Amino acid sequence: MDKVEKWGVFEWSGKGYGDGNPFVDYDIEATFKSENEEKTVKGFYDGEGIYRVRFMPSYEGKYEFFVRGSFSEEKYEGSFEVTAPSGNNRGPVRVCDKYHFCYADKTPYYSIGTTCYVWELRSDELIEKTFHSLENAGFNKIRFCIFPKHYDYNLGEPRSYPYVGTPMDSSKLTKDNFWDYTDKTEGNDWDFFRFNPEHFSHIEKCVEKLAKMGIEADIIVFHPYDRWGFSRMSRKQDDLYIRYLISRLAAYRNIWWSMANEYDIFPHKNIEDWDHIGNLFKEEDPYDHLRSIHNCIDFFDHKKSWITHCSIQRQDLYRTAEYTDEWREEFQKPVVLDEIAYEGNIQHGWGNITGEEMVRRFCEGIFRGGYPGHGETFLNENDILWWSHGGELHGESWKRVKFLLGIMKETPGTGLKRDKSDRRCWDCLKAVPEDDALYEKTGYQIYYYSFMCPSFREFFMEDDAYYKAEIIDTWNMTIEDAGIHSGRFKIELPGRQFMAIRLQKIHGPMVLGDGVSGPF
């Protein structure tokens, strides 16, 4: 009997009709049953007369399945065994405690992602460099597109296209006239009802490898930076594409759906279109993966029911992360800061902040209960910028990702929030566990001083409680033991930027000594 892990991918494939246009002329679906669940999922045509159905089981034990549809006169059935998950397999990520995330096995998930728009559409060599960089950096989410992208430093052709057909002749494309192409379709010859399975199969292999690495694949379904006409498809064509995407990718546990990158600068879609697209994913994705939509200038209404979390690009020249707690209150959902500007040196203001500023924005977002995202845009003689192509990382902020993620993982409960009730902390940022009961029990609190440079800080705690103090240098990635304290006490600091102090209650027997300070 075939075996697959819980939250793994079981795939059935078989021969069927290949005449006409199998992408629209025939259908296929399968029902999967166990003693704990029953789910019907749609399959897809994969070319060469082959049809496939993919399924992600949510329980261990024996499953039976039944395949049917107009794709074949035959009826198929079978069974397989679902075993325990292993390695990085904790199941799909879900929203938990309103503002945070957990894997399906209830393990908290703390998102620190990066953006590489079309990394998977580059050469095999560059893709392997990207995987290596991701592993070294410690990112646990990556945003990328299904469609190729046309923008600065992105004037070449992708390795493949999602549809059968031919693109416009780009030989006349230059850096001086490239914007002339973005709202035209002349020269493209696509059959928007006939997919190129090779394009999607390659993306699936990338998603599979990301899953093994424990990295979430945040799929950007549509984007406006387009000279091929993919952003101008009709609703009927959009719907076919979305259903095909769901049938191919939804069974992978690490999938997130982002309806659009910068939805508000699409010239051919309106709010009604985006609501239709978002609701289609909500209704037809059998696994209810996370769903978002990303802005350029104007925020979407993240309160809408099909949106599971906020995906935010900065609106202010300087501030974004500083608004995290306000957006939490407004939208009552997790706040993912997918674009807070990029570390780099290109001409655009969104792509030339320092590594120190990127890390500062990360910390502002983290300690306010949000989840920041990374990007890097350093000029390269071959125009290979991480933000779009992946490859190698050249900046400084990525080196701090594992350290910051480690701090997040030490949070009691599922995540942090800003404590605005402590009026003595008006001049710094105080973070505490989201769960008030856990805060009361653990006394866990982090004081972040951002670009300020205090040489010491005084604290006023209970006389009958003892706190372990640590000094965190978020830039130099160090955590220094600062002793055990009670009542009113002082912590010495080095008088430089990006420092934080972490306090935690100590429970159980204690031996008082030179390392303990009390009221003075």
Side-chain angles (χ1 to χ4, degrees):
M1 182 182 294
D2 290 336
K3 292 184 178 181
V4 64
E5 285 188 9
K6 179 181 178 180
W7 302 310
V9 178
F10 174 81
E11 180 179 296
W12 177 91
S13 63
K15 282 282 189 178
Y17 298 122
D19 58 320
N21 181 0
F23 295 105
V24 296
D25 293 342
Y26 306 106
D27 62 74
I28 177 174
E29 67 177 24
T31 298
F32 295 84
K33 295 181 179 180
S34 75
E35 64 178 20
N36 294 303
E37 74 171 331
E38 179 176 335
K39 198 179 294 290
T40 298
V41 301
K42 297 184 184 300
F44 60 93
Y45 181 64
D46 202 26
E48 304 294 328
I50 300 296
Y51 291 79
R52 303 184 193 276
V53 181
R54 290 177 178 150
F55 173 67
M56 179 178 68
S58 298
Y59 297 90
E60 296 176 36
K62 182 180 178 181
Y63 277 76
E64 295 179 338
F65 65 90
F66 308 88
V67 182
R68 56 190 178 274
S70 62
F71 77 102
S72 173
E73 295 294 326
E74 300 290 330
K75 305 294 182 183
Y76 299 93
E77 60 182 64
S79 61
F80 57 93
E81 187 75 18
V82 178
T83 61
S86 64
N88 287 316
N89 181 2
R90 299 182 181 90
V93 174
R94 309 293 191 198
V95 173
C96 63
D97 291 347
K98 186 181 287 190
Y99 303 107
H100 303 287
F101 301 103
C102 292
Y103 293 100
D105 71 355
K106 307 304 181 184
T107 303
Y109 168 79
Y110 306 96
S111 177
I112 292 191
T114 189
T115 293
C116 294
Y117 285 118
V118 288
W119 69 279
E120 88 287 13
L121 301 183
R122 314 319 300 171
S123 67
D124 287 345
E125 179 184 6
L126 197 57
I127 289 171
E128 284 307 309
K129 286 183 179 179
T130 305
F131 279 124
H132 181 71
S133 296
L134 288 171
E135 190 169 28
N136 287 340
F139 296 115
N140 59 17
K141 182 170 80 75
I142 181 171
R143 302 172 63 229
F144 60 98
C145 306
I146 298 295
F147 294 140
K149 183 177 181 180
H150 172 94
Y151 191 67
D152 282 352
Y153 315 106
N154 288 272
L155 303 183
E157 299 294 336
R159 65 184 292 151
S160 62
Y161 301 95
Y163 293 96
V164 172
T166 55
M168 66 167 63
D169 181 5
S170 61
S171 62
K172 299 178 181 179
L173 193 65
T174 69
K175 291 184 178 181
D176 295 325
N177 70 356
F178 80 96
W179 278 113
D180 295 339
Y181 288 78
T182 58
D183 195 31
K184 299 178 181 178
T185 59
E186 291 87 350
N188 290 309
D189 183 19
W190 305 112
D191 184 344
F192 289 120
F193 295 96
R194 194 179 293 270
F195 298 101
N196 174 17
E198 181 183 350
H199 180 83
F200 293 90
S201 178
H202 166 71
I203 292 175
E204 289 160 3
K205 290 182 175 64
C206 293
V207 170
E208 288 178 5
K209 187 164 183 177
L210 290 171
K212 291 178 181 178
M213 296 170 66
I215 300 174
E216 304 297 298
D218 196 351
I219 301 294
I220 298 170
V221 181
F222 294 99
H223 69 80
Y225 299 101
D226 168 44
R227 70 171 181 262
W228 300 275
F230 305 135
S231 63
R232 296 169 56 99
M233 297 189 299
S234 68
R235 177 168 290 191
K236 184 177 181 181
Q237 292 163 346
D238 285 349
D239 289 358
L240 182 67
Y241 160 61
I242 290 166
R243 290 187 171 105
Y244 191 69
L245 203 58
I246 291 172
S247 65
R248 293 201 70 126
L249 289 178
Y252 295 99
R253 63 180 175 269
N254 60 325
I255 290 293
W256 298 27
W257 304 119
S258 176
M259 304 305 116
N261 191 68
E262 300 184 347
Y263 83 92
D264 50 317
I265 61 172
F266 275 74
H268 306 289
K269 283 184 169 58
N270 56 34
I271 297 298
E272 182 186 356
D273 294 321
W274 295 120
D275 278 336
H276 170 79
I277 289 167
N279 280 305
L280 189 60
F281 272 98
K282 181 181 178 182
E283 293 163 5
E284 302 218 2
D285 176 1
Y287 310 104
D288 197 29
H289 288 293
L290 296 173
R291 298 175 298 271
S292 67
I293 189 165
H294 176 84
N295 66 288
C296 179
I297 304 297
D298 298 327
F299 270 17
F300 203 84
D301 181 4
H302 297 295
K303 294 190 290 291
K304 296 201 173 184
S305 62
W306 62 262
I307 296 176
T308 58
H309 65 281
C310 306
S311 174
I312 288 176
Q313 175 173 279
R314 68 171 187 158
Q315 292 181 311
D316 185 273
L317 182 60
Y318 303 108
R319 297 168 297 175
T320 293
E322 291 84 352
Y323 293 127
T324 299
D325 36 331
E326 296 178 26
W327 292 328
R328 280 169 38 112
E329 293 174 8
E330 180 179 357
F331 299 116
Q332 298 289 297
K333 292 177 181 178
V335 173
V336 180
L337 304 166
D338 278 314
E339 194 170 326
I340 52 177
Y342 298 156
E343 179 187 1
N345 58 4
I346 63 174
Q347 74 274 28
H348 302 300
W350 51 262
N352 52 33
I353 65 172
T354 65
E356 289 92 340
E357 176 61 10
M358 174 68 82
V359 173
R360 187 196 70 80
R361 295 182 186 196
F362 262 54
C363 291
E364 287 281 353
I366 290 168
F367 298 138
R368 293 173 188 269
Y371 297 95
H374 162 275
E376 187 180 290
T377 47
F378 283 100
L379 289 170
N380 181 284
E381 63 181 5
N382 297 315
D383 283 352
I384 299 174
L385 283 66
W386 173 266
W387 137 89
S388 195
H389 306 291
E392 298 177 348
L393 288 156
H394 302 282
E396 294 296 321
S397 59
W398 70 269
K399 300 173 184 177
R400 278 78 187 167
V401 167
K402 283 184 180 179
F403 178 75
L404 295 175
L405 184 57
I407 291 174
M408 296 169 78
K409 287 182 176 180
E410 291 171 351
T411 302
T414 56
L416 292 167
K417 66 178 177 182
R418 182 185 180 189
D419 180 7
K420 293 185 285 187
S421 65
D422 188 344
R423 303 190 66 172
R424 288 176 298 190
C425 193
W426 64 271
D427 59 347
C428 68
L429 180 57
K430 179 182 177 182
V432 299
E434 187 71 53
D435 186 324
D436 291 335
L438 274 176
Y439 174 39
E440 179 68 23
K441 178 181 179 181
T442 64
Y444 188 95
Q445 48 206 288
I446 296 177
Y447 298 81
Y448 178 61
Y449 303 109
S450 188
F451 47 72
M452 296 172 285
C453 303
S455 59
F456 69 91
R457 291 290 294 203
E458 292 183 350
F459 293 89
F460 304 84
M461 300 298 173
E462 313 95 302
D463 289 335
D464 59 349
Y466 290 90
Y467 287 82
K468 175 184 177 182
E470 295 169 301
I471 300 171
I472 300 174
D473 186 329
T474 64
W475 180 252
N476 291 311
M477 298 178 285
T478 60
I479 301 177
E480 176 188 346
D481 185 351
I484 298 170
H485 308 272
S486 180
R488 181 183 176 190
F489 56 90
K490 179 167 63 175
I491 302 294
E492 302 287 346
L493 289 168
R496 59 174 178 262
Q497 298 182 103
F498 317 130
M499 305 301 296
I501 292 174
R502 179 166 59 183
L503 303 178
Q504 300 177 71
K505 280 183 181 178
I506 292 180
H507 299 278
M510 283 183 49
V511 177
L512 301 183
D514 293 338
V516 179
S517 67
F520 62 92

